[in-house]
Amino acid sequence: MAQHKVNYASNGGLPVALTSVDKLLNWGRSNSLWPLTYGLACCAIEMMASGGSRFDFDRLGTIFRASPRQSDLMILAGTLSKKHAEFARRLYDQMPEPKWVISMGSCANTGGMFNTYATVQGVDRIVPVDIYLPGCAPRPETLQYAVMMLQKKIRKESANMKKNKKQDLRLV
Amino acid sequence: MQVTNKLTPFFENLNFERDDNTMVINFGPQHPSAHGQLRLVLELDGELVTKAYPDIGYLHRGIEKMAENMTYNEFLPTTDRLDYIASTSNNYAYALAVEKLIGLEVPRRAQVIRTMLLELNRIISHLFFLATHALDVGAMSVFLYAFREREFAMDLMEDYCGARLTHSAVRIGGVPLDLPKGWLENLTIYLDKLPQNIKMYEDLLTENRIWKMRLEDVGTLSPEDAMSWGCSGVMLRGSGIPYDIRKEEPYELYGELDFDIPISQSCDSLGRYKLYMEEMRQSKRILEQLIEMYPQTEQKLMAHAPQYISAPKEEIMTQNYALMQHFVLVTQGMRPPKGEVYVPTESPKGELGFYIKSEGEPYAYRLKCRAPSFYHTGLLQEILVGTYIADVVTIIGSTNIVFGEVDR
């Protein structure tokens, strides 16, 4: 027989731990980050590997979605060329709020080894980035860690996105 | 353009320029099944594709231009990023071209290790092809199974060179490291398990009704077209032309090894898929022969050419002359003789060759990469015409293109 310590009659029939709306929303948001299936270059292969059987991204609640309308996380995996930059920004704009961006790999962070006429020297010139992920190419474990860092960040944020001072390129 | 206002709502003064079923759609460059950053402009008549223009350049990074400003050894890690699914094949093709330019003789142990890495990379690449191709067609479970197997092969690569994706394991003049202890045993264990896994994929796919319906007679490519479009690798062999550079112009140890070149006469996607499966078996055969060859070789990994290649670390630390040579090679880079060279190799995707023109400087005057995927992307404007829009993704998957080497 289960021993109930809560007396429903005396506690007004509310044996529920109450929490703030912020925490509840952030709990939901952080545990169901749906990244956009958006591969640019080599890092995309490691991104696929983290979605594959060994690293099993689904454990973190991340399920790759092929449409920006359904996703709230953009993993910019690989070299962003100047020709492609326009589309990256457009995809970012198509994602509904709240949305986050992980810049995966050296090329996305700073241009990396490709300091040429054709590549964007860091995707933060195009979209605001939350997590920078070093490596060329980063291992799937690194990407998992980045997602966990992002989850931590989300849990600290206010659920009201307007309160979060997020770097927005339109204001710069 | 019409101007809409309250008096003339937009639906009243609409006039269509065309009243047939034609439509132009834009596929990519961020389409999840475009295998990278392929943009296709498709002209449709109903669901039939009437014209297809592949538009490339979305991953152009200027790699060939970078080669002109880097010493030969500096450029080697950049070749990893061409065909990033099988990096060793790029490292190797580049190293082989430079070696031919210089006229280097690579020690036998290095040759054995290189060929092993090449064939292991072929298995990795083919498993990746299978995973993505099956995922594009809709078989999610095959993706998970194939990636499981691929991870074990990548563990082996990681044991050898420390990197999963960008190996740089082959250097100009040989290989930097000997095989670690127990590597060959692990490879043997992996190879023993491989056939039953390949059989499992085949059980899942080959007789699968959906798989057959999606692949049979889809993406047909006649032998004449395959030749005139410059196809190579499985695309060419899938159309019944027995051409493999490992057999035609044997390089490394391929002349001594015993293996078959599978050919398919069916000229369609299903035939090409079967070839990939068969090639994995052949790679296993090659690797097993190499495992036996390895103990018979001497323990020497880099070619002896003090003018071009640094001496082993031990000599650099103990002998003055070796240290001087090493200093010059690191600060200035090697200076190959004047001349030009083109060396083709059989990468997992087809003929991968590097053309290098040297003016006797530490930097290449011009470097050109002949990447198989580039030609297979051009082929899309031929084989996509007349197919249904639903088959476009299947055909792109079947050509096994990688945009790192298309755009360079």
Side-chain angles (χ1 to χ4, degrees):
Chain A
M1 284 289 283
Q3 297 285 318
H4 290 283
K5 288 189 177 172
V6 180
N7 187 345
Y8 291 96
S10 68
N11 288 345
L14 275 175
V16 183
L18 291 175
T19 179
S20 66
V21 178
D22 266 15
K23 279 194 178 150
L24 185 69
L25 279 176
N26 283 337
W27 170 77
R29 278 175 185 171
S30 63
N31 287 313
S32 64
L33 281 171
W34 285 4
L36 178 62
T37 317
Y38 184 40
L40 289 169
C42 333
C43 291
I45 309 297
E46 289 297 64
M47 191 170 80
M48 283 178 82
S50 22
S53 28
R54 183 184 286 183
F55 298 98
D56 196 10
F57 232 8
D58 297 2
R59 289 177 300 166
L60 301 174
T62 53
I63 300 165
F64 284 101
R65 306 301 300 178
S67 164
R69 307 283 185 201
Q70 300 168 355
S71 48
D72 42 18
L73 170 63
M74 184 183 222
I75 303 176
L76 277 157
T79 321
L80 188 67
S81 67
K82 284 178 184 166
K83 194 174 178 183
H84 196 106
E86 175 198 345
F87 298 96
R89 178 71 208 193
R90 193 185 295 174
L91 283 172
Y92 177 79
D93 288 340
Q94 281 174 348
M95 282 161 55
E97 291 276 359
K99 54 192 170 187
W100 295 275
V101 178
I102 290 179
S103 153
M104 182 182 181
S106 306
C107 293
N109 293 340
T110 63
M113 67 198 296
F114 298 105
N115 187 4
T116 57
Y117 56 89
T119 46
V120 176
Q121 300 297 304
V123 292
D124 45 10
R125 296 181 180 210
I126 310 294
V127 291
V129 175
D130 292 279
I131 305 277
Y132 294 91
L133 180 51
C136 185
R139 297 172 59 88
E141 289 97 326
T142 327
L143 182 59
Q144 283 184 334
Y145 185 62
V147 170
M148 281 151 72
M149 293 270 282
L150 185 64
Q151 288 181 336
K152 268 188 189 171
K153 186 181 172 178
I154 293 169
R155 283 172 198 142
K156 281 181 194 162
E157 278 177 351
S158 166
N160 181 1
M161 290 303 286
K162 280 177 191 163
K163 275 190 187 171
N164 297 323
K165 283 176 189 166
K166 201 171 177 185
Q167 185 203 353
D168 196 331
L169 290 186
R170 279 166 294 186
L171 302 176
V172 175
Chain B
M1 276 302 283
Q2 56 176 342
V3 182
T4 56
N5 52 40
K6 277 181 187 169
L7 290 173
T8 51
F10 68 95
F11 49 82
E12 278 184 11
N13 58 357
L14 259 187
N15 47 2
F16 294 100
E17 281 177 13
R18 289 178 289 191
D19 55 354
D20 49 3
N21 282 327
T22 58
M23 179 163 66
V24 177
I25 67 159
N26 200 10
F27 179 96
Q30 80 289 352
H31 193 278
S33 297
H35 281 236
Q37 309 184 9
L38 168 67
R39 176 166 172 247
L40 270 177
V41 181
L42 298 169
E43 275 182 28
L44 304 177
D45 179 15
E47 286 196 27
L48 274 174
V49 179
T50 51
K51 253 180 192 173
Y53 303 100
D55 183 8
I56 61 168
Y58 288 94
L59 191 53
H60 178 65
R61 303 183 273 198
I63 287 181
E64 285 176 6
K65 187 71 191 166
M66 281 166 78
E68 295 168 20
N69 298 309
M70 286 169 134
T71 61
Y72 286 91
N73 274 322
E74 263 180 333
F75 182 65
L76 192 103
T78 318
T79 56
D80 278 334
R81 279 88 185 163
L82 283 168
D83 172 8
Y84 34 77
I85 291 160
S87 346
T88 300
S89 59
N90 305 290
N91 296 154
Y92 177 72
Y94 173 68
L96 191 67
V98 180
E99 279 158 17
K100 201 167 183 186
L101 190 65
I102 303 174
L104 278 183
E105 199 60 41
V106 177
R108 193 165 168 82
R109 176 162 286 191
Q111 282 188 328
V112 172
I113 296 175
R114 280 171 165 207
T115 320
M116 270 181 188
L117 295 179
L118 284 176
E119 290 307 315
L120 195 58
N121 259 262
R122 198 178 302 276
I123 293 176
I124 290 176
S125 172
H126 284 7
L127 282 173
F128 188 86
F129 159 79
L130 181 71
T132 49
H133 190 31
L135 190 65
D136 288 348
V137 175
M140 181 83 185
S141 46
V142 178
F143 164 79
L144 293 172
Y145 284 131
F147 256 71
R148 179 191 65 188
E149 242 37 71
R150 186 171 168 270
E151 289 293 337
F152 290 125
M154 283 171 87
D155 278 351
L156 287 168
M157 282 310 299
E158 203 184 325
D159 278 351
Y160 177 66
C161 65
R164 279 166 56 87
L165 209 66
T166 47
H167 309 306
S168 296
V170 172
R171 303 282 162 83
I172 299 165
V175 286
L177 300 163
D178 206 349
L179 295 179
K181 242 184 195 173
W183 198 83
L184 285 179
E185 286 74 32
N186 287 341
L187 180 64
T188 318
I189 295 170
Y190 179 73
L191 291 180
D192 287 344
K193 283 184 188 162
L194 191 66
Q196 67 200 56
N197 286 318
I198 297 174
K199 191 178 170 296
M200 187 182 72
Y201 307 141
E202 286 182 331
D203 287 349
L204 279 170
L205 294 176
T206 311
E207 294 303 318
N208 188 325
R209 264 183 306 165
I210 304 170
W211 183 255
K212 276 177 108 171
M213 276 165 73
R214 292 294 305 271
L215 264 71
E216 233 169 359
D217 296 321
V218 168
T220 44
L221 176 67
S222 66
E224 295 76 34
D225 280 346
M227 280 198 284
S228 59
W229 281 92
C231 293
S232 53
V234 175
M235 289 300 283
L236 194 59
R237 294 193 288 274
S239 296
I241 300 165
Y243 183 80
D244 188 314
I245 294 157
R246 291 178 292 174
K247 286 279 186 199
E248 300 292 321
E249 303 172 41
Y251 52 93
E252 213 64 69
L253 293 173
Y254 287 116
E256 302 171 31
L257 294 164
D258 182 29
F259 62 100
D260 297 325
I261 302 298
I263 304 159
S264 164
Q265 302 290 350
S266 65
C267 305
D268 60 357
S269 298
L270 190 70
R272 290 195 282 271
Y273 145 76
K274 283 179 182 165
L275 283 191
Y276 279 106
M277 303 308 265
E278 190 53 37
E279 281 204 356
M280 278 197 268
R281 293 206 178 89
Q282 295 299 328
S283 292
K284 173 188 178 276
R285 232 175 106 190
I286 296 173
L287 278 166
E288 278 169 348
Q289 294 169 40
L290 288 166
I291 290 172
E292 283 171 22
M293 277 168 132
Y294 177 78
Q296 298 159 11
T297 53
E298 282 178 33
Q299 201 170 13
K300 195 180 172 217
L301 294 172
M302 289 296 261
H304 180 72
Q307 211 184 335
Y308 304 111
I309 310 288
S310 292
K313 206 75 187 168
E314 251 184 65
E315 281 181 35
I316 293 174
M317 292 307 190
T318 51
Q319 293 172 22
N320 194 11
Y321 187 71
L323 178 66
M324 279 158 59
Q325 286 283 4
H326 180 64
F327 183 76
V328 170
L329 284 173
V330 168
T331 51
Q332 295 178 13
M334 66 169 83
R335 290 166 189 273
K338 272 187 190 181
E340 51 190 332
V341 70
Y342 173 76
V343 186
T345 60
E346 183 78 19
S347 91
K349 300 192 173 51
E351 178 183 339
L352 174 70
F354 277 88
Y355 165 83
I356 299 174
K357 171 136 178 62
S358 161
E359 292 277 299
E361 296 288 311
Y363 312 100
Y365 180 77
R366 171 85 170 101
L367 184 138
K368 163 97 175 82
C369 169
R370 190 257 184 236
S373 298
F374 181 79
Y375 296 85
H376 297 158
T377 312
L379 174 75
L380 288 177
Q381 55 190 295
E382 171 81 23
I383 54 173
L384 286 184
V385 174
T387 60
Y388 287 100
I389 181 86
D391 292 334
V392 168
V393 165
T394 313
I395 295 167
I396 295 172
S398 172
T399 52
N400 195 11
I401 46 182
V402 166
F403 271 75
E405 66 175 12
V406 174
D407 295 336
R408 302 192 278 269

